[in-house]
Amino acid sequence: MSPPTFRTFLTEVASVEDVHPHLRKVTFRGGDLETFEPVGPDTFLYLLLPPPGRDALTIDQSFTWEAHGTMAEEDKPVGAYYTVRAWRPEVAELDILMVMHGDPGPASGWAMRAGTGDPVALWGPRTAYAPPDGTAELLVVVDETGLPAAAVIVEELPDDVRAVVVAEVACEAERLELADRPNVTVRWLHRDGAPAGTTTLLADTVRSLPPLAPNTYVWGGAESKAMTAVRRHVRGERGLPREATSLVAYWRHVDTSDEDDAESR
């Protein structure tokens, strides 16, 4: 198998919509997206933005991370990884759902003020979802940041594969609508006032599940410490092999230590 090819796609903001007070949908359209193709249900891209205090991009399609290391600090783009929630090839348009944090990072801070026509670059695409042949059951473990990928996974799930989705959100009002599939069970967990990244809800719920079938694949996207706890349980206590798990740190709470880190995307 040939190695994946990563590109830098130049495009711009087409529209911005608030899904709820802590989630914003940003739609990108045109430019290099005319040649974009997703690589899996959890397709993710690195959103590259102008440096702080500037409106114009400082990179073009030739951008590489090697070149990034040699750029002057004031010229380096900022950004973060985000999952593609929807892709409409007929109009070269994709949606990304961006969580609005209380202490915004460069990308979520940008999303709070993003407007139509703002230039961006998208680097990738990449995927971490790779169920082995013969997978008959799927366990999906996510917080708000992993919900967009979970939504696509549910939409694209074959009818002969059963799935359980364990999803943590702030409260019932911040659930993300998932497709109603007869082979999918969703367990919603609410933090009820606890800050994101400070609970053990995901790992505790996974520990409470019945025995997993030998042909189960576990995929997750959430805070790093939570994903590490789930991974240690399903591999160490449930006995699933490495190839049957992909639990990715979509973000890291300020109090999470290096030893608590999961695989990062």
Side-chain angles (χ1 to χ4, degrees):
M1 178 182 297
S2 59
T5 300
F6 303 132
R7 296 173 51 199
T8 301
F9 301 84
L10 300 188
T11 184
E12 64 179 30
V13 175
S15 64
V16 178
E17 175 187 346
D18 288 327
V19 180
H20 60 64
H22 298 118
L23 190 68
R24 176 163 285 192
K25 180 174 76 172
V26 182
T27 298
F28 304 95
R29 181 191 303 140
D32 297 326
L33 289 181
E34 293 181 359
T35 58
F36 173 78
E37 292 184 10
V39 291
D42 69 330
T43 293
F44 58 95
L45 296 151
Y46 198 94
L47 175 63
L48 291 158
L49 304 166
R54 298 166 70 171
D55 297 323
L57 287 172
T58 53
I59 58 171
D60 58 22
Q61 294 94 333
S62 66
F63 170 83
T64 65
W65 288 106
E66 290 78 11
H68 178 273
T70 65
M71 295 176 70
E73 287 300 317
E74 64 271 18
D75 293 332
K76 289 183 177 180
V78 296
Y81 280 113
Y82 285 94
T83 301
V84 176
R85 173 60 187 92
W87 163 240
R88 293 175 289 279
E90 67 278 6
V91 290
E93 188 175 87
L94 62 80
D95 298 334
I96 286 178
L97 299 181
M98 304 181 71
V99 176
M100 301 291 99
H101 301 288
D103 182 17
S108 57
W110 171 87
M112 293 173 67
R113 59 182 184 275
T116 302
D118 286 354
V120 302
L122 299 167
W123 180 85
R126 302 177 66 188
T127 180
Y129 181 82
D133 292 340
T135 296
E137 297 191 13
L138 179 66
L139 173 60
V140 177
V141 187
V142 295
D143 63 13
E144 292 94 335
T145 61
L147 266 175
V152 182
I153 289 170
V154 168
E155 290 168 356
E156 299 184 359
L157 191 71
D159 291 337
D160 61 348
V161 176
R162 297 179 300 277
V164 173
V165 178
V166 178
E168 176 191 319
V169 294
C171 60
E172 185 173 358
E174 297 194 2
R175 294 180 180 183
L176 184 67
E177 184 176 354
L178 302 180
D180 186 9
R181 301 286 305 277
N183 55 332
V184 177
T185 301
V186 182
R187 295 188 61 172
W188 290 103
L189 312 175
H190 303 146
R191 289 192 297 274
D192 293 329
T198 65
T199 79
T200 59
L201 288 170
L202 289 175
D204 291 346
T205 301
V206 171
R207 291 188 186 98
S208 74
L209 294 176
L212 302 178
N215 53 357
T216 295
Y217 178 69
V218 181
W219 181 92
E223 198 280 328
S224 180
K225 187 174 183 178
M227 288 292 89
T228 296
V230 173
R231 174 170 50 82
R232 287 173 176 167
H233 172 71
V234 296
R235 291 182 58 188
E237 299 176 38
R238 301 276 185 156
L240 292 185
R242 183 181 183 87
E243 62 272 16
T245 64
S246 180
L247 293 150
V248 186
Y250 270 30
W251 65 288
R252 176 174 171 169
H253 189 273
V254 65
D255 292 332
T256 296
S257 65
D258 289 341
E259 65 183 21
D260 291 324
D261 261 342
E263 313 158 47
S264 59
R265 66 174 182 174

